Amino acid sequence: MLTRPDNKHDRLTRDNLLDLEDHGLVRIESVREDQRQVWVLTKRGHGEARKLLAPKGIRVSVLRRQECDPVTGELLGTGYDDHAAAVTSTAAELHRAGIGHRLGFQTEIGHRLAGGFVQRADLVVRAPEAGVPVLLLEIDRRTEDAHDLVAKLRRYWEWGRLLAKDADKRMVDLVRSRPDAIDRLVGHEKRLWRRVYPPTGREGLPPVAFVFADTTEAKVSRTVAVLEEAGRRYWAPRRYNTLYEKAVTAQDYSQAVPVVVTTLEQLQEHGAGAAVWRRLGRKGEQTLTAALDNPDGDALYREQEARAGAEEKRRRAAEREARRPVCKRCGRKFTDQRWEETTARTAWKAGDRSVCGTCRADDVAREEAAAEAARLQTAAPPEPEDDQERGRGRGWFRRRP
């Protein structure tokens, strides 16, 4: 249990803590150099907190057990105090910036992997009203090697790819038999993380933030460089599988873990709502929501895909128009119907395939007129002979006197 580090402990807060201490619910973990006291729940207080908050769906962080040196009797784990103070300071800065309400923060939240390993997030914030439905935070006081942070990132990525426990057997067998099935065939709504956290409102897995505290700018730069290089597989987007590779520059973030970094000192100096967050793979710092957004992601892909499709359609239409035959008689272009008649399997019925439909119709009309004239001529009776021929013919049959 920690109060906001920048707050002055007023009498009411102090009296409440002392009253809880009298009932054995809290205890003083340590006193920092600036005389601030770190209070934590006792085992009894932890149990009471779980009874109170669990029915409301609010998780309680793991119990901080009191451990003492068996020889000297001194309290062990003072490093926990500095780390816990950094976690609380981070939560305080987020809350001050309007990112998360008081009950929207949880600490030491476990994420169990397939092998049984539990990756615990130092802090989880849910602030949908601020455009951050969920954010997993790792607070590092430079007590961990940069490659250890890469390993944490890998475990968050692996956890985001797990199937939900209620997945049907067919889906489970498919994922086991095909390594790429989880990327291509299993949507996020069928994965475990969607049973734990709400949709992020963006492409990809739940975002992760690394907040560095009590360190130098040079060390932060070196650590971020290792995260970018060694962790590229987990945070970097991919190219879309599209027919228009040259026209589509958008990136596919659907299987990536969005990763942002900052320092506690920046949060305290400028505020968590300021441009103090840097997204891995980008240059410069942005506000948290801007850093989590993907302006070159799915929305741009749909726009570029549609534009490229329309352009391809226009190009094909222009190419087809350039191939359109021209009538050798009148010089006009073929209609689609005439073009189809001359190229179909029944093109032998199309007559002269070098002429357009109009000229073909004229040919047909002339042929029909000629055929009709021939028919009429064949059906007409023979014309009568002249009078001289008729008289001469009759004279052959007269008797002589």
Side-chain angles (χ1 to χ4, degrees), residues 120-148:
R120 296 191 179 276
D122 293 329
L123 181 67
V124 175
V125 58
R126 304 190 190 201
E129 69 285 347
V132 187
V134 60
L135 180 64
L136 315 181
L137 294 102
E138 289 289 336
I139 317 302
D140 179 35
R141 297 183 56 253
R142 291 304 298 121
T143 58
E144 295 182 271
D145 182 74
H147 290 280
D148 292 336

Side-chain angles (χ1 to χ4, degrees), residues 188-210:
H188 290 286
E189 68 280 355
K190 297 180 181 179
R191 301 189 191 182
L192 175 62
W193 77 265
R194 282 295 305 275
R195 303 296 192 271
V196 180
Y197 297 122
T200 64
R202 302 173 176 89
E203 308 101 297
L205 304 174
V208 174
F210 288 97

Side-chain angles (χ1 to χ4, degrees), residues 177-241:
S177 62
R178 291 183 53 182
D180 63 336
I182 195 71
D183 293 340
R184 299 178 179 275
L185 305 176
V186 182
H188 290 286
E189 68 280 355
K190 297 180 181 179
R191 301 189 191 182
L192 175 62
W193 77 265
R194 282 295 305 275
R195 303 296 192 271
V196 180
Y197 297 122
T200 64
R202 302 173 176 89
E203 308 101 297
L205 304 174
V208 174
F210 288 97
V211 180
F212 302 100
D214 303 327
T215 185
T216 64
E217 185 176 345
K219 289 182 179 179
V220 172
S221 298
R222 288 196 294 270
T223 302
V224 172
V226 173
L227 275 171
E228 283 192 314
E229 183 62 29
R232 180 173 298 275
R233 178 183 179 185
Y234 316 118
W235 63 260
R238 307 173 183 177
R239 291 295 304 272
Y240 275 102
N241 184 17

Side-chain angles (χ1 to χ4, degrees), residues 68-132:
C68 299
D69 188 290
V71 178
T72 64
E74 294 181 357
L75 186 67
L76 299 176
T78 55
Y80 170 88
D81 305 333
D82 294 333
H83 182 264
V87 172
T88 304
S89 296
T90 302
E93 295 304 329
L94 290 169
H95 178 66
R96 182 185 293 109
I99 304 174
H101 54 81
R102 293 181 183 275
L103 297 180
F105 296 93
Q106 298 171 308
T107 58
E108 296 295 323
I109 300 302
H111 304 82
R112 187 175 297 277
L113 300 175
F117 184 88
V118 178
Q119 175 63 54
R120 296 191 179 276
D122 293 329
L123 181 67
V124 175
V125 58
R126 304 190 190 201
E129 69 285 347
V132 187

Side-chain angles (χ1 to χ4, degrees), residues 255-320:
Q255 306 303 321
V257 177
V259 179
V260 295
V261 298
T262 189
T263 65
L264 180 56
E265 290 72 22
Q266 284 182 301
L267 296 179
Q268 293 173 333
E269 181 179 356
H270 304 289
V276 296
W277 304 87
R278 183 195 160 195
R279 174 82 172 262
L280 291 191
R282 300 180 188 173
K283 295 181 179 179
E285 295 170 332
Q286 303 172 283
T287 61
L288 181 56
T289 53
L292 294 177
D293 288 340
N294 301 310
D296 59 340
D298 185 62
L300 179 62
Y301 168 71
R302 292 196 301 269
E303 177 184 342
Q304 290 181 334
E305 182 87 348
R307 189 164 56 244
E311 181 62 30
E312 178 68 11
K313 186 176 180 180
R314 286 193 294 270
R315 184 187 66 80
R316 291 182 178 180
E319 290 180 353
R320 186 175 187 274

Side-chain angles (χ1 to χ4, degrees), residues 119 122 138 144 148-156 210:
Q119 175 63 54
D122 293 329
E138 289 289 336
E144 295 182 271
D148 292 336
L149 300 184
V150 174
K152 285 187 175 182
L153 176 57
R154 172 180 57 80
R155 289 191 285 267
Y156 283 124
F210 288 97

